[in-house]
Amino acid sequence: MKTTQPTAGLLAEFGDTDALIAAARRLHAEGYRQFECYTPFPVEGLAEAMEFRRTRMPLVVLCGALLGLVVGYGLQYWTTVIEYPLNIGGRPLHSWPSFVPVTFELTILTAALFAVLGMLGLNGLPRPHHPLFHIREFSRASSDAYFLWVKSEDPQFHEQTTREALRKLQAQEVWDVPSEP
Amino acid sequence: MTDSSRTSLAAPWKTPCLIAGLVGAAVCAAGALIQPGQFWPGYLTAFVFWLGVGLGSLGIALLHRLTGGRWGWSVSRPLVAGAETIPVLFLLSLPLALSLPTLYAFGGDDSHSSLNAQQELYFLLPFFFGRAALYFVVWNILSFGVSRAYKRDREHGVTGGGARRAALGLIVFWLLASFAVFDWIMSVDPGWYSTIYGAQHTMGFAVSAFAFAIIVRHFSGRAASEPDARTQDLGSMLLAFNLLWVYFAFSQFFLIWSADLPIENTWYLRRSEGLWAAAAPTLAVVHFVVPFALLLSQDVKAHSRRLAGVAALLLAARLIDLTWCIVPAYDVAGAMTAVYGLAAFIALGGLWLFVFRLRWEKLAILADPVMLPSAKRDSADSLEAV
């Protein structure tokens, strides 16, 4: 029985990016927070319409950079000063200028690794399956269609009113998203 | 038909600039007559600082014509106006012809003991003056090209074009600016040379010019008071320009420190004596650590006012760097050099800003892209000029 099945929300298709942006802005204004947009290409202004401004990515990358900085410098300090001191051309053991290139490289490397892994982690990836995959038309999000998914977790979510709201925002079609079994 | 609301914002500049310039020039004239040994190092420093703002503007304007991109359109007006000040920079360089015996080992009549044979040849005065003339002629031609392309874009409502010529111009510009740095700044220490020095200071010019353009954009009232993507782009570009300078500056230090040869390391040793010892750590903080950390944050670089603050810090850092590179070469330089240097900084700055303001206004008349019939929403947006 379809009606008794728990729902994961509603998926709406929009005809163009302007309609999608307008819908996202309107939903946000009405207090919806748990919704996502899916487009075949980056749409300028969409993130702003969703008021999606702040992410934790910069913090993750900064932590990675600081880790690389400390580890890179620390490794060189430990090897040349503590573990295996060598007199090279009469220079002091702790010759910081020569530590800079490697420290810099490791800082960039770990920052980049944290950026990639952090992006995957914060997006909840890798994820082999997703409730939206139950909807056949959703595969067009990769080619020529613009979708908006209002999640059922949203406190504002109510199947009837949300559906009407999406219709009113010129959604071309609205699907029930079946919850994962 | 100047736009009064736009010009009124910065209008009080002009007369004070001219007065400050003339008063400073009087102090400079007195200094040159009374204490040339103390005066000229200060004048050279101030001249190179303002030359950097003008030349850097030309360089970045050429770069933007080559690459395009929205970041450049929002500062193209101060950049082109800055490039158009090169004739006045030439005039302001003329007094330096009197300074040669004081400033340069090759400038005096006495024996050129500290120069080797090749340097003697390279610094023969006719050759030296000929090169200086060539630099200014070519820079003026490039500046003319940049400003003509800008006006053409304005009139026809297009953005970009002329990338091929800009690429050629940029190569010529970079080479000549490097040689100018060798001729006028590196030569203050006869016998010392560093091949990266020209690139380092040319990059420093770019930092000065871009920081200056960001400040002008902020005060011209065209920048939003809210954080915006365009301002953030400018912040990122400023970070990139400055990091390249840091890279050049550190590379030079690193290589010389590693080799530790007396012929090279004396440059740094001389610059870490006495009060100068504080300069390099100060530069590390104000030219690298602080602006770097601030420009990483969107909270800073997307706000026009905060970004202008960082730009002002970088301009101050540029002045410290040039002072540190030039003045310690002179044993006679002392406390009065600071006084004359400040006077020269105000004199040249006042006169330069006065001319900059005139050029900037002139560009404003052509400026309003909304008036252009062909301007669509997007092109008007990308034509946002300061």
Side-chain angles (χ1 to χ4, degrees):
Chain A
M1 286 282 284
K2 202 182 170 195
T3 44
T4 55
Q5 215 174 21
T7 174
L10 292 169
L11 181 71
E13 185 191 340
F14 290 88
D16 54 43
T17 55
D18 286 345
L20 181 65
I21 291 173
R25 187 172 292 133
R26 184 74 208 142
L27 286 178
H28 189 275
E30 284 178 12
Y32 287 93
R33 292 295 178 270
Q34 297 290 319
F35 64 94
E36 298 281 356
C37 296
Y38 302 89
T39 59
F41 50 85
V43 173
E44 201 177 340
L46 185 55
E48 287 74 16
M50 296 169 71
E51 297 289 329
F52 185 78
R53 294 178 192 280
R54 291 275 148 183
T55 73
R56 282 175 293 168
M57 272 308 286
L59 188 65
V60 171
V61 177
L62 181 68
C63 288
L66 291 177
L67 181 74
L69 184 93
V70 171
V71 169
Y73 200 93
L75 175 73
Q76 295 174 88
Y77 186 86
W78 180 71
T79 48
T80 57
V81 181
I82 298 166
E83 186 56 25
Y84 201 75
L86 260 187
N87 184 336
I88 300 170
R91 289 191 179 73
L93 292 173
H94 181 208
S95 290
W96 67 266
S98 58
F99 294 176
V100 169
V102 170
T103 307
F104 174 76
E105 299 290 348
L106 263 178
T107 305
I108 301 301
L109 177 67
T110 49
L113 285 177
F114 269 57
V116 174
L117 297 177
M119 180 274 291
L120 293 176
L122 291 179
N123 280 327
L125 296 170
R127 182 169 180 178
H129 194 69
H130 193 280
L132 290 177
F133 296 170
H134 290 299
I135 298 163
R136 178 193 295 273
E137 289 83 350
F138 183 68
S139 63
R140 285 175 49 229
S142 304
S143 55
D144 62 349
Y146 311 96
F147 292 100
L148 190 153
W149 173 34
V150 184
K151 299 179 193 173
S152 54
E153 298 105 271
D154 196 299
Q156 294 281 320
F157 182 82
H158 182 276
E159 202 172 329
Q160 277 314 313
T161 50
T162 304
R163 186 187 301 274
E164 275 160 30
L166 288 170
R167 286 278 182 215
K168 220 178 280 174
L169 288 165
Q170 259 109 67
Q172 293 181 332
E173 199 155 350
V174 181
W175 294 270
D176 277 307
V177 181
S179 165
E180 296 277 28
Chain B
M1 43 165 263
T2 41
D3 184 343
S4 62
S5 69
R6 201 180 305 166
T7 48
S8 65
L9 274 164
W13 282 26
K14 245 189 322 187
T15 319
C17 278
L18 192 58
I19 293 170
L22 294 176
V23 171
V27 177
C28 287
L33 288 173
I34 305 164
Q35 293 176 301
Q38 302 258 5
F39 168 74
W40 286 113
Y43 187 90
L44 179 64
T45 307
F47 170 73
V48 174
F49 178 87
W50 291 107
L51 176 74
V53 182
L55 270 190
S57 299
L58 173 59
I60 301 175
L62 284 168
L63 178 71
H64 181 246
R65 192 140 287 278
L66 171 62
T67 65
R70 290 190 156 188
W71 61 271
W73 292 111
S74 58
V75 283
S76 60
R77 188 167 158 215
L79 289 177
V80 172
E84 287 180 352
T85 62
I86 285 170
V88 77
L89 287 165
F90 169 69
L91 292 179
L92 296 175
S93 77
L94 290 179
L96 284 168
L98 301 171
S99 75
L100 296 190
T102 317
L103 286 180
Y104 301 109
F106 58 85
D109 298 327
D110 48 336
S111 66
H112 305 163
S113 55
S114 50
L115 297 177
N116 63 35
Q118 289 88 344
Q119 286 172 323
E120 295 257 11
L121 191 65
Y122 185 74
F123 285 117
L124 276 177
L125 285 183
F127 190 27
F128 176 81
F129 284 121
R131 282 200 306 272
L134 175 75
Y135 302 153
F136 274 109
V137 166
V138 174
W139 289 333
N140 267 309
I141 292 171
L142 293 175
S143 141
F144 181 73
V146 160
S147 104
R148 205 180 52 167
Y150 175 89
K151 288 169 187 166
R152 198 182 49 223
D153 278 1
R154 286 268 174 247
E155 276 157 17
H156 302 298
V158 293
T159 54
R164 204 178 286 255
R165 261 182 290 175
L168 189 65
L170 197 59
I171 294 169
V172 172
F173 165 83
W174 182 267
L175 286 174
L176 292 192
S178 296
F179 273 94
V181 169
F182 296 147
D183 282 10
W184 303 339
I185 321 180
M186 198 167 86
S187 57
V188 300
D189 295 86
W192 180 81
Y193 55 88
S194 159
T195 46
I196 209 171
Y197 203 64
Q200 182 198 328
H201 278 286
T202 307
M203 213 52 231
F205 296 166
V207 172
S208 302
F210 206 65
F212 179 78
I214 283 172
I215 292 172
V216 172
R217 174 177 185 263
H218 174 70
F219 283 107
S220 68
R222 287 303 299 264
S225 51
E226 290 291 299
D228 71 295
R230 199 68 54 81
T231 308
Q232 187 177 331
D233 289 347
L234 295 178
S236 302
M237 288 300 292
L238 184 64
L239 177 67
F241 283 130
N242 192 49
L243 274 185
L244 199 49
W245 178 88
V246 171
Y247 170 75
F248 286 143
F250 180 77
S251 300
Q252 175 184 293
F253 169 71
F254 181 54
L255 292 178
I256 290 179
W257 177 88
S258 300
D260 204 18
L261 299 172
I263 192 173
E264 294 174 342
N265 66 17
T266 44
W267 194 90
Y268 283 103
L269 293 176
R270 205 179 231 283
R271 281 161 179 77
S272 50
E273 286 165 2
L275 278 177
W276 295 117
T282 306
L283 278 175
V285 172
V286 300
H287 214 318
F288 171 51
V289 177
V290 172
F292 175 75
L294 289 175
L295 289 177
L296 281 183
S297 163
Q298 287 184 22
D299 287 332
V300 175
K301 64 182 166 190
H303 282 79
S304 181
R305 204 159 68 93
R306 296 176 194 169
L307 183 61
V310 179
L313 176 73
L314 277 172
L315 277 180
R318 289 303 309 138
L319 187 60
I320 296 172
D321 179 49
L322 287 171
T323 309
W324 182 64
C325 286
I326 293 172
V327 180
Y330 302 99
D331 292 328
V332 288
M336 284 309 286
T337 304
V339 176
Y340 293 133
L342 189 66
F345 181 76
I346 293 171
L348 298 179
L351 296 172
W352 186 85
L353 285 171
F354 177 74
V355 175
F356 171 82
R357 180 82 177 95
L358 290 177
R359 303 312 307 168
W360 190 77
E361 268 170 16
K362 207 129 183 158
L363 291 173
I365 296 170
L366 299 162
D368 218 322
V370 189
M371 305 292 285
L372 298 169
S374 62
K376 293 196 181 71
R377 185 184 69 121
D378 188 56
S379 65
D381 189 37
S382 57
L383 269 168
E384 179 219 343
V386 182

